Amino acid sequence: MAAFFSRISIFKIFLVFTLCFSDIGFLQGATSLGINYGQLGDNLLPPEKVLDLLSSLKITKARIYDTNPQVLTAFANSGVELMVTIENAMLGQLMNPQAAFQWVSSHIKPYFPATKITSIAVGNEVFTDDDTTVLLSNLVPAMVSIQTALTQLGLDSYIKISTPCSLAVLEESYPPSAGSFKPEVAQVMTQLLQFLQSTKAPFWINAYPYFAYKGDPNRVSLDYVLFNANQGMVDPFTKLHYDNMLYAQVDAAIYAMARLGFNGIEVKVSETGWPSRGDSNEIGATLQNAATYNRNLLRRQLQNEGTPLRPKMRLEVYVFALFNEDMKPGPTSERNYGLFQPDGTMVYNVGLSAISTSRTPTSSSSSSTTSASISDVFSSATKAATMEYRQSWVCWITVCMVTFHVFMGRPF
């Protein structure tokens, strides 16, 4: 009898071990994919229609750049994980703990948990804002006050706080192992990283390989930045191979944090994308390049990939953006990052297989048809991932059954 229970215990240990160290946990579909839902347009779809669009695209994570009550109300009971944003101009006020408590009480608590708010972005690209000096002194104190308010209201275990940083905070990013922060941001960056480490929150970066290509198209490989087949590059110090620039940029940020003494903080991409149109001096801003970049990125997301430095930690990415926003200032490219026009018609096809034969729709009926075709592609890719997931389960169940019989000493 003792031998029997000994065998059972060994079997249980083996079962737990195989489940923990198998790839089953990584075969869950594109759970790491999100999208940025900007609202600087004069004819945008209402939030209820936007939710329908996200559902058709199988996208379950979205980021907004404010706490628009119409959006928060519309997304209630949808299951969509939502990242909301505190505008940069609010940071000075929210350094005050009482003001932060009032803000969370009025902007977050009334909607949670029906609306699945999972993250609060405190500011956006604060380190590189035009008013950097003032904002930097406000950033971490405001984050601490918001965190305290979440804790007081019992929301801290559900909602994480971070701040999206432009890749411009890096002094060096090539090769990735040389990644380091600019000296002028190091002091506040250290405070930020201490906060993120203590709250187990991620470090968010806005990473755009497009800008690297636009800045030096003669030296930067277009295939490398578009995730196309290419020879890539090997980091001379780590010997890690990179076949795309986005993953290299993410790893550069990881190395930069390590140089300040912080290891283990997860890096997530809060923005990445490619413009489908641009001014004459905006090299590479074309419909074809935009479609290629986002299509290849989404394909990688369906594989739940990690970067070469952290291959087992799937990289969470938010595509920029859902819509072309015709009221955004700046060059033409700024108004042409969207997968869709403000009225919901498709700018280009982001399907994960070669189905780019459909033309850009010009009516609402065309939009619904095109959205359906995109949905079909996502569904096909998801079915393939699900099949792989089931096959993995069958494999591991078989291994466990064989092991059970071996330990029990019984014939099959």
Side-chain angles (χ1 to χ4, degrees):
M1 183 62 68
F4 172 81
F5 283 107
S6 176
R7 289 170 179 169
I8 290 296
S9 297
I10 294 173
F11 169 71
K12 288 181 177 178
I13 293 172
F14 178 78
L15 178 59
V16 171
F17 180 87
T18 55
L19 290 177
C20 289
F21 290 93
S22 72
D23 287 333
I24 288 175
F26 296 93
L27 297 173
Q28 301 173 356
T31 56
S32 53
L33 173 67
I35 199 158
N36 286 274
Y37 168 22
Q39 300 161 64
L40 291 178
D42 59 6
N43 58 344
L44 287 173
L45 291 176
E48 295 80 8
K49 295 293 184 183
V50 172
L51 184 58
D52 291 340
L53 182 60
L54 293 180
S55 298
S56 75
L57 297 174
K58 314 295 185 188
I59 292 175
T60 59
K61 296 182 180 181
R63 175 192 177 195
I64 59 175
Y65 290 83
D66 52 22
T67 51
N68 186 329
Q70 292 180 324
V71 175
L72 296 181
T73 300
F75 278 52
N77 303 310
S78 67
V80 173
E81 297 181 16
L82 203 59
M83 183 200 309
V84 301
T85 303
I86 298 173
E87 296 89 336
N88 289 1
M90 290 287 297
L91 300 189
Q93 301 176 41
L94 296 180
M95 292 172 60
N96 183 299
Q98 185 176 356
F101 183 85
Q102 292 174 346
W103 186 89
V104 174
S105 297
S106 60
H107 289 76
I108 303 297
K109 193 174 186 299
Y111 305 99
F112 185 89
T115 300
K116 199 173 182 180
I117 301 170
T118 57
S119 306
I120 299 175
V122 180
N124 185 54
E125 298 190 347
V126 173
F127 286 89
T128 50
D129 190 274
D130 292 338
D131 197 15
T132 297
T133 303
V134 174
L135 288 175
L136 281 184
S137 63
N138 298 339
L139 177 61
V140 177
M143 296 177 75
V144 171
S145 293
I146 294 293
Q147 180 70 29
T148 301
L150 289 175
T151 301
Q152 292 172 336
L153 293 168
L155 303 177
D156 56 304
S157 60
Y158 305 99
I159 300 173
K160 294 296 183 182
I161 296 175
S162 190
T163 184
C165 297
S166 164
L167 204 70
V169 298
L170 297 183
E171 177 77 7
E172 297 289 344
S173 61
Y174 182 88
S177 61
S180 61
F181 291 111
K182 291 180 176 178
E184 59 266 32
V185 305
Q187 181 178 355
V188 178
M189 185 62 72
T190 298
Q191 297 171 5
L192 169 63
L193 296 176
Q194 288 173 338
F195 173 85
L196 298 180
Q197 190 171 69
S198 66
T199 59
K200 296 181 173 55
F203 180 74
W204 288 99
I205 59 168
N206 297 340
Y208 290 88
Y210 161 70
F211 290 124
Y213 177 75
K214 172 193 168 187
D216 197 355
N218 294 323
R219 296 180 58 189
V220 176
S221 165
L222 183 60
D223 285 330
Y224 181 62
V225 295
L226 291 179
F227 294 92
N228 283 334
N230 68 96
Q231 66 179 11
M233 61 83 66
V234 175
D235 189 304
F237 301 101
T238 63
K239 307 305 179 184
L240 293 174
H241 178 261
Y242 292 85
D243 65 358
N244 70 86
M245 181 175 284
L246 180 65
Y247 289 5
Q249 292 175 333
V250 170
D251 281 355
I254 296 173
Y255 280 110
M257 290 191 294
R259 278 187 165 77
L260 291 181
F262 296 90
N263 296 290
I265 296 176
E266 184 178 3
V267 174
K268 298 184 179 184
V269 179
S270 40
E271 290 182 15
T272 191
W274 197 286
S276 58
R277 287 182 58 202
D279 295 322
S280 58
N281 64 338
E282 296 187 288
I283 299 173
T286 68
L287 194 71
Q288 180 179 356
N289 287 344
T292 300
Y293 181 82
N294 284 313
R295 183 181 299 118
N296 286 339
L297 173 62
L298 295 178
R299 183 181 292 115
R300 296 296 187 102
Q301 284 287 287
L302 280 170
Q303 297 170 3
N304 284 321
E305 286 186 340
T307 66
L309 184 59
R310 292 177 173 174
K312 292 297 184 182
M313 180 180 288
R314 62 189 179 202
L315 179 64
E316 184 166 316
V317 173
Y318 281 67
V319 175
F320 188 87
L322 184 59
F323 295 116
N324 282 342
E325 299 172 73
D326 59 354
M327 295 177 64
K328 291 190 70 173
T332 298
S333 61
E334 285 296 313
R335 294 176 290 281
N336 288 279
Y337 275 90
L339 306 182
F340 293 87
Q341 300 290 1
D343 64 358
T345 57
M346 187 181 68
V347 177
Y348 54 83
N349 197 318
V350 293
L352 299 181
S353 61
I355 60 168
S356 301
T357 56
S358 61
R359 292 172 291 183
T360 301
T362 57
S363 67
S364 298
S365 60
S366 298
S367 174
S368 61
T369 301
T370 306
S371 297
S373 70
I374 297 175
S375 177
D376 290 342
V377 175
F378 271 81
S379 296
S380 298
T382 303
K383 287 177 182 177
T386 301
M387 181 61 70
E388 183 179 2
Y389 175 75
R390 289 173 177 169
Q391 289 172 348
S392 297
W393 267 109
V394 171
C395 175
W396 282 105
I397 290 173
T398 302
V399 170
C400 291
M401 290 178 63
V402 170
T403 304
F404 177 78
H405 283 286
V406 169
F407 280 120
M408 292 299 294
R410 293 169 56 185
F412 293 101

